[in-house]
């Protein structure tokens, strides 16, 4: 499989994980993090622990809880 030669008209698709990004995860727009949870890109636990964003498993943002998470030291 790894040595397959493509012929004219063939296509090749590669799926890979995203990069680490730039800057602090806690400065990322909470709505975008919630969207990523909804899409299944990140778990609710990662949203909370890494991004400081509180939301439901279906991506509904909890703004007040997010503000508390992000203001904690």
């Amino acid at each position: 499989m790894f040595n397959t030669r493509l012929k004219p008209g063939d296509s090749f698709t590669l799926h890979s994980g995203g990069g680490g990004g730039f800057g602090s995860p806690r400065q990322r727009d909470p709505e975008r993090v919630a969207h990523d949870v909804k899409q299944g890109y990140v778990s609710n636990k990662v949203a909370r622990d890494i991004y400081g964003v509180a939301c439901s498993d279906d991506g509904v943002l909890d703004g007040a809880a997010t503000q508390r998470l992000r203001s904690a030291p």
Side-chain angles (χ1 to χ4, degrees):
M1 175 81 180
F2 293 111
N3 295 329
T4 301
R5 193 175 289 259
L6 297 178
K7 299 181 254 359
D10 286 349
S11 65
F12 176 78
T13 303
L14 176 67
H15 297 273
S16 66
F22 297 98
S24 170
R26 290 186 174 253
Q27 292 179 351
R28 185 151 190 258
D29 178 6
E31 288 285 350
R32 295 186 73 158
V33 176
H35 178 265
D36 287 351
V37 170
K38 183 176 184 176
Q39 296 301 312
Y41 299 144
V42 297
S43 68
N44 200 341
K45 180 175 178 9
V46 167
R48 177 177 291 276
D49 296 348
I50 303 298
Y51 292 94
V53 173
C55 61
S56 63
D57 288 333
D58 59 351
V60 176
L61 180 66
D62 182 336
T66 295
Q67 188 172 23
R68 285 192 300 274
L69 284 171
R70 289 189 167 189
S71 65

